[in-house]
Amino acid sequence: MQAMELSAREILDHLVGFRSVSSDSNLDLIDWVEGYLASHGVKSQRVYNAEGTKAALFANVGPEVAGGVVLSGHSDVVPVDGQDWATDPFTVVEKDGRLYGRGTCDMKGFVALALAAVPLALKAGVKRPLQIAISYDEEVGCVGAPPMIAQMVKDLPKAAAVVVGEPSMMRLVNGHKGGAGYKVHVKGFEVHSSLLPYGVSAIMEAARLVGWINDQNTAIQARTPTAIAAMFYPPHTTVHCGKFAGGTAHNITAGDCHFVMEFRVVPDEDENEWADRFVAECKRVEGLMQAIQPNTRVTLDRFFDVPGLRPEEGGAADALVRRLTGDNAAEVVSYGTEAGQFQAEGYSCVVCGPGDIAQAHQPNEYLDVAQLESCWGFMQRLVQDLAD
């Protein structure tokens, strides 16, 4: 097979052209990446979802020895439905020093650069491997990375560092909040509102749980932040209800209520402990409901679970990115990434990638050409570091 000699920009054109919205399959994109790697003699491995409709992919470029570097990105993008785009979102359009297209910034730009570094690493004869990791379904709760990472731990030599290329303007991010989210269904019992004590209003019982959320935020904000929490904005864990719907009429106790809530947890706290507290409160409220009508209930669907990324004292990934970027500062962010999932499996991990996070998910999303070039310089220095 003839090697596919493509620049990062040319690879980006291909990747953006695949409509890998989280609701759809990404297998056409994965097929292309697999073929690209194979054209350079690099074997890759897939990790499918349960339905076989999506896959993550990882590969080892260079010798099969420990101490390499993982470049990690996700293949999925958010939808463009309802957004006002000036250009075709699935075609890269260059204008005024910007590359417009869905995923150019978040985060197919980084994936394209990582893939462009593969032949560079082969030609340099790296002594430690460059490893590529591409996940699915990051945008719907980082659900595709954990099975991929677990398989990498089994099948690849352990890397010394992981760089997750979420857009950070090529600045070092070594900490972020974790998170967990629940879709909540409160099943009540309908009666005429004049008979309120004999029914169970799903809305009013759900409101107890939203009241619990408000109480937690009040208590959290009254505490003095820890040293880790003080690094973040806001400097504490947050609990939030973002969607709430239920009921059929003003004079009927609501039979159903649905709401969605989430935790954003500073990395020196445990998102599972917070989740357990919410579950316990749901069981308490359910008990009050069932004392009136036994067939009522509170049902929980935990739809995402992302561990935080804790800044590492003397971490290998931190030192690597500082060395390659010359960035002596470090930042933390309040959103979550797959970096915390790598760290949870024992990898040293940071976030560093091209583009501005403010562009993520926006209409007319773009990546500055200057950021693409800056990250390409990073890739060249990384390959040289692995070759030395």
Side-chain angles (χ1 to χ4, degrees), residues 270-308:
D270 187 345
E271 64 270 11
N272 290 317
E273 290 182 7
W274 275 105
D276 289 345
R277 291 172 63 182
F278 179 65
V279 170
E281 179 63 11
C282 288
K283 289 186 179 298
R284 187 189 73 82
V285 170
E286 184 179 65
L288 297 175
M289 296 164 56
Q290 292 179 346
I292 301 170
Q293 291 292 344
N295 292 330
T296 58
R297 62 186 181 274
V298 178
T299 304
L300 301 177
D301 174 18
R302 187 163 175 170
F303 69 99
F304 82 90
D305 186 358
V306 181

mmCIF file of all heavy atoms in Angstrom, residues 270-308:
data_model
loop_
_atom_site.group_PDB
_atom_site.id
_atom_site.type_symbol
_atom_site.label_atom_id
_atom_site.label_comp_id
_atom_site.label_asym_id
_atom_site.label_seq_id
_atom_site.Cartn_x
_atom_site.Cartn_y
_atom_site.Cartn_z
ATOM 1 N N ASP A 270 -14.820 13.696 45.719
ATOM 2 C CA ASP A 270 -15.179 12.498 44.955
ATOM 3 C C ASP A 270 -16.588 12.663 44.382
ATOM 4 O O ASP A 270 -17.549 12.795 45.150
ATOM 5 C CB ASP A 270 -15.097 11.273 45.874
ATOM 6 C CG ASP A 270 -15.297 9.959 45.146
ATOM 7 O OD1 ASP A 270 -15.772 9.977 43.990
ATOM 8 O OD2 ASP A 270 -14.999 8.909 45.731
ATOM 9 N N GLU A 271 -16.681 12.636 43.049
ATOM 10 C CA GLU A 271 -18.005 12.783 42.434
ATOM 11 C C GLU A 271 -18.940 11.639 42.825
ATOM 12 O O GLU A 271 -20.158 11.814 42.874
ATOM 13 C CB GLU A 271 -17.905 12.892 40.909
ATOM 14 C CG GLU A 271 -17.356 11.686 40.194
ATOM 15 C CD GLU A 271 -15.849 11.745 40.040
ATOM 16 O OE1 GLU A 271 -15.196 12.604 40.658
ATOM 17 O OE2 GLU A 271 -15.326 10.906 39.295
ATOM 18 N N ASN A 272 -18.375 10.463 43.130
ATOM 19 C CA ASN A 272 -19.218 9.335 43.543
ATOM 20 C C ASN A 272 -19.825 9.558 44.928
ATOM 21 O O ASN A 272 -20.964 9.132 45.193
ATOM 22 C CB ASN A 272 -18.416 8.038 43.514
ATOM 23 C CG ASN A 272 -18.092 7.602 42.103
ATOM 24 O OD1 ASN A 272 -18.938 7.653 41.212
ATOM 25 N ND2 ASN A 272 -16.860 7.204 41.861
ATOM 26 N N GLU A 273 -19.086 10.211 45.818
ATOM 27 C CA GLU A 273 -19.653 10.532 47.124
ATOM 28 C C GLU A 273 -20.803 11.517 46.987
ATOM 29 O O GLU A 273 -21.837 11.388 47.657
ATOM 30 C CB GLU A 273 -18.570 11.098 48.039
ATOM 31 C CG GLU A 273 -17.537 10.075 48.483
ATOM 32 C CD GLU A 273 -16.520 10.661 49.433
ATOM 33 O OE1 GLU A 273 -16.701 11.832 49.861
ATOM 34 O OE2 GLU A 273 -15.544 9.956 49.762
ATOM 35 N N TRP A 274 -20.633 12.509 46.117
ATOM 36 C CA TRP A 274 -21.724 13.435 45.865
ATOM 37 C C TRP A 274 -22.930 12.713 45.255
ATOM 38 O O TRP A 274 -24.077 12.962 45.641
ATOM 39 C CB TRP A 274 -21.256 14.551 44.933
ATOM 40 C CG TRP A 274 -20.598 15.678 45.649
ATOM 41 C CD1 TRP A 274 -19.270 15.974 45.704
ATOM 42 C CD2 TRP A 274 -21.247 16.670 46.437
ATOM 43 N NE1 TRP A 274 -19.038 17.084 46.466
ATOM 44 C CE2 TRP A 274 -20.244 17.545 46.934
ATOM 45 C CE3 TRP A 274 -22.575 16.926 46.766
ATOM 46 C CZ2 TRP A 274 -20.531 18.633 47.745
ATOM 47 C CZ3 TRP A 274 -22.869 18.024 47.570
ATOM 48 C CH2 TRP A 274 -21.850 18.859 48.051
ATOM 49 N N ALA A 275 -22.657 11.822 44.321
ATOM 50 C CA ALA A 275 -23.745 11.071 43.693
ATOM 51 C C ALA A 275 -24.473 10.220 44.725
ATOM 52 O O ALA A 275 -25.711 10.132 44.718
ATOM 53 C CB ALA A 275 -23.191 10.205 42.572
ATOM 54 N N ASP A 276 -23.725 9.596 45.622
ATOM 55 C CA ASP A 276 -24.349 8.763 46.660
ATOM 56 C C ASP A 276 -25.264 9.599 47.554
ATOM 57 O O ASP A 276 -26.334 9.129 47.979
ATOM 58 C CB ASP A 276 -23.271 8.089 47.509
ATOM 59 C CG ASP A 276 -22.523 6.995 46.763
ATOM 60 O OD1 ASP A 276 -23.006 6.563 45.700
ATOM 61 O OD2 ASP A 276 -21.451 6.579 47.255
ATOM 62 N N ARG A 277 -24.871 10.828 47.833
ATOM 63 C CA ARG A 277 -25.709 11.695 48.657
ATOM 64 C C ARG A 277 -27.016 12.034 47.947
ATOM 65 O O ARG A 277 -28.088 12.076 48.573
ATOM 66 C CB ARG A 277 -24.949 12.967 49.010
ATOM 67 C CG ARG A 277 -23.787 12.734 49.960
ATOM 68 C CD ARG A 277 -22.941 13.969 50.143
ATOM 69 N NE ARG A 277 -23.686 15.067 50.758
ATOM 70 C CZ ARG A 277 -23.165 16.269 50.985
ATOM 71 N NH1 ARG A 277 -21.917 16.525 50.642
ATOM 72 N NH2 ARG A 277 -23.905 17.218 51.550
ATOM 73 N N PHE A 278 -26.936 12.267 46.645
ATOM 74 C CA PHE A 278 -28.153 12.558 45.895
ATOM 75 C C PHE A 278 -29.057 11.332 45.828
ATOM 76 O O PHE A 278 -30.281 11.440 46.001
ATOM 77 C CB PHE A 278 -27.802 13.045 44.494
ATOM 78 C CG PHE A 278 -29.007 13.347 43.641
ATOM 79 C CD1 PHE A 278 -29.871 14.381 43.976
ATOM 80 C CD2 PHE A 278 -29.271 12.601 42.509
ATOM 81 C CE1 PHE A 278 -30.984 14.663 43.192
ATOM 82 C CE2 PHE A 278 -30.377 12.874 41.720
ATOM 83 C CZ PHE A 278 -31.237 13.903 42.062
ATOM 84 N N VAL A 279 -28.473 10.174 45.594
ATOM 85 C CA VAL A 279 -29.255 8.937 45.549
ATOM 86 C C VAL A 279 -29.970 8.722 46.886
ATOM 87 O O VAL A 279 -31.152 8.340 46.936
ATOM 88 C CB VAL A 279 -28.351 7.741 45.202
ATOM 89 C CG1 VAL A 279 -29.106 6.426 45.387
ATOM 90 C CG2 VAL A 279 -27.845 7.856 43.765
ATOM 91 N N ALA A 280 -29.267 8.966 47.988
ATOM 92 C CA ALA A 280 -29.877 8.797 49.308
ATOM 93 C C ALA A 280 -31.054 9.755 49.494
ATOM 94 O O ALA A 280 -32.091 9.383 50.063
ATOM 95 C CB ALA A 280 -28.829 9.026 50.393
ATOM 96 N N GLU A 281 -30.915 10.993 49.031
ATOM 97 C CA GLU A 281 -32.010 11.942 49.136
ATOM 98 C C GLU A 281 -33.197 11.503 48.274
ATOM 99 O O GLU A 281 -34.361 11.644 48.684
ATOM 100 C CB GLU A 281 -31.548 13.335 48.728
ATOM 101 C CG GLU A 281 -32.617 14.412 48.786
ATOM 102 C CD GLU A 281 -33.155 14.674 50.186
ATOM 103 O OE1 GLU A 281 -32.554 14.173 51.171
ATOM 104 O OE2 GLU A 281 -34.180 15.375 50.303
ATOM 105 N N CYS A 282 -32.917 10.959 47.101
ATOM 106 C CA CYS A 282 -34.007 10.444 46.249
ATOM 107 C C CYS A 282 -34.744 9.300 46.937
ATOM 108 O O CYS A 282 -35.982 9.214 46.873
ATOM 109 C CB CYS A 282 -33.441 9.979 44.911
ATOM 110 S SG CYS A 282 -32.909 11.324 43.830
ATOM 111 N N LYS A 283 -34.027 8.435 47.611
ATOM 112 C CA LYS A 283 -34.663 7.321 48.326
ATOM 113 C C LYS A 283 -35.503 7.840 49.493
ATOM 114 O O LYS A 283 -36.589 7.314 49.792
ATOM 115 C CB LYS A 283 -33.603 6.336 48.814
ATOM 116 C CG LYS A 283 -32.953 5.536 47.693
ATOM 117 C CD LYS A 283 -32.023 4.463 48.229
ATOM 118 C CE LYS A 283 -31.391 3.662 47.095
ATOM 119 N NZ LYS A 283 -32.404 2.947 46.283
ATOM 120 N N ARG A 284 -35.011 8.877 50.158
ATOM 121 C CA ARG A 284 -35.782 9.458 51.263
ATOM 122 C C ARG A 284 -37.099 10.030 50.750
ATOM 123 O O ARG A 284 -38.177 9.773 51.330
ATOM 124 C CB ARG A 284 -34.969 10.550 51.951
ATOM 125 C CG ARG A 284 -35.616 11.103 53.216
ATOM 126 C CD ARG A 284 -34.884 12.322 53.739
ATOM 127 N NE ARG A 284 -35.106 13.495 52.909
ATOM 128 C CZ ARG A 284 -36.206 14.276 53.002
ATOM 129 N NH1 ARG A 284 -37.164 13.989 53.876
ATOM 130 N NH2 ARG A 284 -36.328 15.326 52.221
ATOM 131 N N VAL A 285 -37.045 10.799 49.668
ATOM 132 C CA VAL A 285 -38.254 11.380 49.098
ATOM 133 C C VAL A 285 -39.178 10.285 48.577
ATOM 134 O O VAL A 285 -40.409 10.356 48.751
ATOM 135 C CB VAL A 285 -37.890 12.388 47.983
ATOM 136 C CG1 VAL A 285 -39.124 12.825 47.212
ATOM 137 C CG2 VAL A 285 -37.175 13.598 48.582
ATOM 138 N N GLU A 286 -38.617 9.262 47.939
ATOM 139 C CA GLU A 286 -39.428 8.152 47.455
ATOM 140 C C GLU A 286 -40.179 7.482 48.600
ATOM 141 O O GLU A 286 -41.347 7.096 48.458
ATOM 142 C CB GLU A 286 -38.536 7.139 46.746
ATOM 143 C CG GLU A 286 -39.302 5.986 46.104
ATOM 144 C CD GLU A 286 -38.367 5.018 45.404
ATOM 145 O OE1 GLU A 286 -37.546 4.385 46.118
ATOM 146 O OE2 GLU A 286 -38.444 4.900 44.176
ATOM 147 N N GLY A 287 -39.534 7.356 49.758
ATOM 148 C CA GLY A 287 -40.204 6.773 50.919
ATOM 149 C C GLY A 287 -41.403 7.591 51.360
ATOM 150 O O GLY A 287 -42.454 7.028 51.724
ATOM 151 N N LEU A 288 -41.285 8.914 51.339
ATOM 152 C CA LEU A 288 -42.412 9.768 51.681
ATOM 153 C C LEU A 288 -43.554 9.596 50.685
ATOM 154 O O LEU A 288 -44.735 9.569 51.072
ATOM 155 C CB LEU A 288 -41.959 11.234 51.696
ATOM 156 C CG LEU A 288 -40.889 11.620 52.723
ATOM 157 C CD1 LEU A 288 -40.462 13.073 52.511
ATOM 158 C CD2 LEU A 288 -41.402 11.414 54.138
ATOM 159 N N MET A 289 -43.215 9.468 49.417
ATOM 160 C CA MET A 289 -44.221 9.270 48.379
ATOM 161 C C MET A 289 -44.951 7.941 48.558
ATOM 162 O O MET A 289 -46.186 7.877 48.481
ATOM 163 C CB MET A 289 -43.561 9.322 46.996
ATOM 164 C CG MET A 289 -42.946 10.662 46.628
ATOM 165 S SD MET A 289 -41.791 10.550 45.230
ATOM 166 C CE MET A 289 -42.832 9.804 43.959
ATOM 167 N N GLN A 290 -44.178 6.896 48.785
ATOM 168 C CA GLN A 290 -44.762 5.558 48.861
ATOM 169 C C GLN A 290 -45.575 5.340 50.127
ATOM 170 O O GLN A 290 -46.405 4.429 50.181
ATOM 171 C CB GLN A 290 -43.665 4.510 48.721
ATOM 172 C CG GLN A 290 -43.061 4.497 47.330
ATOM 173 C CD GLN A 290 -41.957 3.489 47.137
ATOM 174 O OE1 GLN A 290 -41.425 2.925 48.107
ATOM 175 N NE2 GLN A 290 -41.574 3.256 45.889
ATOM 176 N N ALA A 291 -45.356 6.177 51.141
ATOM 177 C CA ALA A 291 -46.197 6.111 52.335
ATOM 178 C C ALA A 291 -47.621 6.548 52.026
ATOM 179 O O ALA A 291 -48.564 6.173 52.730
ATOM 180 C CB ALA A 291 -45.598 6.990 53.435
ATOM 181 N N ILE A 292 -47.787 7.335 50.954
ATOM 182 C CA ILE A 292 -49.113 7.773 50.518
ATOM 183 C C ILE A 292 -49.663 6.859 49.437
ATOM 184 O O ILE A 292 -50.810 6.389 49.509
ATOM 185 C CB ILE A 292 -49.047 9.225 49.993
ATOM 186 C CG1 ILE A 292 -48.543 10.165 51.090
ATOM 187 C CG2 ILE A 292 -50.413 9.682 49.482
ATOM 188 C CD1 ILE A 292 -48.214 11.562 50.594
ATOM 189 N N GLN A 293 -48.842 6.557 48.416
ATOM 190 C CA GLN A 293 -49.233 5.684 47.309
ATOM 191 C C GLN A 293 -48.051 4.761 46.984
ATOM 192 O O GLN A 293 -47.015 5.218 46.483
ATOM 193 C CB GLN A 293 -49.620 6.493 46.074
ATOM 194 C CG GLN A 293 -50.906 7.279 46.214
ATOM 195 C CD GLN A 293 -52.136 6.384 46.290
ATOM 196 O OE1 GLN A 293 -52.087 5.198 45.945
ATOM 197 N NE2 GLN A 293 -53.254 6.943 46.747
ATOM 198 N N PRO A 294 -48.166 3.462 47.274
ATOM 199 C CA PRO A 294 -47.025 2.540 47.130
ATOM 200 C C PRO A 294 -46.475 2.422 45.713
ATOM 201 O O PRO A 294 -45.311 2.037 45.542
ATOM 202 C CB PRO A 294 -47.606 1.192 47.598
ATOM 203 C CG PRO A 294 -48.767 1.555 48.459
ATOM 204 C CD PRO A 294 -49.335 2.809 47.870
ATOM 205 N N ASN A 295 -47.267 2.738 44.696
ATOM 206 C CA ASN A 295 -46.820 2.554 43.314
ATOM 207 C C ASN A 295 -46.013 3.732 42.768
ATOM 208 O O ASN A 295 -45.627 3.729 41.603
ATOM 209 C CB ASN A 295 -48.014 2.286 42.403
ATOM 210 C CG ASN A 295 -48.661 0.941 42.689
ATOM 211 O OD1 ASN A 295 -47.988 0.004 43.121
ATOM 212 N ND2 ASN A 295 -49.962 0.851 42.490
ATOM 213 N N THR A 296 -45.785 4.733 43.586
ATOM 214 C CA THR A 296 -44.973 5.862 43.145
ATOM 215 C C THR A 296 -43.485 5.522 43.287
ATOM 216 O O THR A 296 -43.117 4.586 44.006
ATOM 217 C CB THR A 296 -45.302 7.116 43.969
ATOM 218 O OG1 THR A 296 -45.083 6.827 45.362
ATOM 219 C CG2 THR A 296 -46.745 7.528 43.769
ATOM 220 N N ARG A 297 -42.632 6.295 42.598
ATOM 221 C CA ARG A 297 -41.193 5.957 42.639
ATOM 222 C C ARG A 297 -40.367 7.124 42.088
ATOM 223 O O ARG A 297 -40.888 8.023 41.421
ATOM 224 C CB ARG A 297 -40.904 4.704 41.830
ATOM 225 C CG ARG A 297 -41.215 4.825 40.346
ATOM 226 C CD ARG A 297 -41.042 3.511 39.603
ATOM 227 N NE ARG A 297 -41.328 3.658 38.185
ATOM 228 C CZ ARG A 297 -42.540 3.572 37.653
ATOM 229 N NH1 ARG A 297 -43.599 3.333 38.443
ATOM 230 N NH2 ARG A 297 -42.706 3.725 36.350
ATOM 231 N N VAL A 298 -39.067 7.024 42.362
ATOM 232 C CA VAL A 298 -38.077 7.918 41.764
ATOM 233 C C VAL A 298 -37.063 7.037 41.046
ATOM 234 O O VAL A 298 -36.430 6.174 41.665
ATOM 235 C CB VAL A 298 -37.365 8.781 42.822
ATOM 236 C CG1 VAL A 298 -36.305 9.668 42.160
ATOM 237 C CG2 VAL A 298 -38.364 9.635 43.598
ATOM 238 N N THR A 299 -36.917 7.245 39.736
ATOM 239 C CA THR A 299 -36.011 6.443 38.918
ATOM 240 C C THR A 299 -34.853 7.309 38.450
ATOM 241 O O THR A 299 -35.057 8.427 37.970
ATOM 242 C CB THR A 299 -36.751 5.861 37.702
ATOM 243 O OG1 THR A 299 -37.881 5.109 38.152
ATOM 244 C CG2 THR A 299 -35.830 4.943 36.897
ATOM 245 N N LEU A 300 -33.640 6.781 38.580
ATOM 246 C CA LEU A 300 -32.430 7.525 38.224
ATOM 247 C C LEU A 300 -31.684 6.835 37.086
ATOM 248 O O LEU A 300 -31.505 5.618 37.112
ATOM 249 C CB LEU A 300 -31.497 7.645 39.430
ATOM 250 C CG LEU A 300 -32.061 8.337 40.672
ATOM 251 C CD1 LEU A 300 -31.045 8.303 41.799
ATOM 252 C CD2 LEU A 300 -32.456 9.771 40.357
ATOM 253 N N ASP A 301 -31.241 7.637 36.133
ATOM 254 C CA ASP A 301 -30.389 7.162 35.038
ATOM 255 C C ASP A 301 -29.121 8.007 35.050
ATOM 256 O O ASP A 301 -29.149 9.180 34.697
ATOM 257 C CB ASP A 301 -31.122 7.298 33.699
ATOM 258 C CG ASP A 301 -30.232 6.967 32.503
ATOM 259 O OD1 ASP A 301 -29.185 6.313 32.692
ATOM 260 O OD2 ASP A 301 -30.592 7.368 31.378
ATOM 261 N N ARG A 302 -28.014 7.385 35.475
ATOM 262 C CA ARG A 302 -26.743 8.120 35.518
ATOM 263 C C ARG A 302 -26.158 8.119 34.112
ATOM 264 O O ARG A 302 -25.640 7.108 33.638
ATOM 265 C CB ARG A 302 -25.794 7.472 36.522
ATOM 266 C CG ARG A 302 -24.518 8.264 36.769
ATOM 267 C CD ARG A 302 -23.839 7.792 38.033
ATOM 268 N NE ARG A 302 -22.552 8.430 38.247
ATOM 269 C CZ ARG A 302 -21.851 8.332 39.376
ATOM 270 N NH1 ARG A 302 -22.335 7.615 40.384
ATOM 271 N NH2 ARG A 302 -20.691 8.926 39.494
ATOM 272 N N PHE A 303 -26.215 9.261 33.449
ATOM 273 C CA PHE A 303 -25.897 9.296 32.029
ATOM 274 C C PHE A 303 -24.496 9.793 31.725
ATOM 275 O O PHE A 303 -24.041 9.691 30.594
ATOM 276 C CB PHE A 303 -26.930 10.121 31.250
ATOM 277 C CG PHE A 303 -26.893 11.601 31.529
ATOM 278 C CD1 PHE A 303 -26.233 12.462 30.668
ATOM 279 C CD2 PHE A 303 -27.531 12.126 32.641
ATOM 280 C CE1 PHE A 303 -26.203 13.826 30.916
ATOM 281 C CE2 PHE A 303 -27.503 13.496 32.892
ATOM 282 C CZ PHE A 303 -26.838 14.340 32.031
ATOM 283 N N PHE A 304 -23.793 10.357 32.717
ATOM 284 C CA PHE A 304 -22.375 10.593 32.510
ATOM 285 C C PHE A 304 -21.639 10.584 33.835
ATOM 286 O O PHE A 304 -22.221 10.813 34.895
ATOM 287 C CB PHE A 304 -22.097 11.879 31.712
ATOM 288 C CG PHE A 304 -22.111 13.163 32.501
ATOM 289 C CD1 PHE A 304 -20.951 13.646 33.087
ATOM 290 C CD2 PHE A 304 -23.269 13.912 32.619
ATOM 291 C CE1 PHE A 304 -20.947 14.841 33.800
ATOM 292 C CE2 PHE A 304 -23.279 15.114 33.314
ATOM 293 C CZ PHE A 304 -22.117 15.576 33.912
ATOM 294 N N ASP A 305 -20.347 10.273 33.742
ATOM 295 C CA ASP A 305 -19.520 10.120 34.930
ATOM 296 C C ASP A 305 -18.079 10.381 34.508
ATOM 297 O O ASP A 305 -17.476 9.556 33.820
ATOM 298 C CB ASP A 305 -19.672 8.702 35.493
ATOM 299 C CG ASP A 305 -18.955 8.502 36.811
ATOM 300 O OD1 ASP A 305 -18.296 9.442 37.276
ATOM 301 O OD2 ASP A 305 -19.054 7.397 37.376
ATOM 302 N N VAL A 306 -17.546 11.535 34.875
ATOM 303 C CA VAL A 306 -16.219 11.942 34.422
ATOM 304 C C VAL A 306 -15.376 12.310 35.637
ATOM 305 O O VAL A 306 -15.705 13.271 36.345
ATOM 306 C CB VAL A 306 -16.297 13.145 33.466
ATOM 307 C CG1 VAL A 306 -14.907 13.541 32.989
ATOM 308 C CG2 VAL A 306 -17.196 12.833 32.278
ATOM 309 N N PRO A 307 -14.305 11.572 35.912
ATOM 310 C CA PRO A 307 -13.451 11.951 37.043
ATOM 311 C C PRO A 307 -12.703 13.242 36.777
ATOM 312 O O PRO A 307 -12.412 13.588 35.632
ATOM 313 C CB PRO A 307 -12.488 10.761 37.172
ATOM 314 C CG PRO A 307 -12.463 10.140 35.813
ATOM 315 C CD PRO A 307 -13.827 10.367 35.232
ATOM 316 N N GLY A 308 -12.379 13.959 37.835
ATOM 317 C CA GLY A 308 -11.603 15.176 37.699
ATOM 318 C C GLY A 308 -10.150 14.882 37.371
ATOM 319 O O GLY A 308 -9.663 13.756 37.529
#
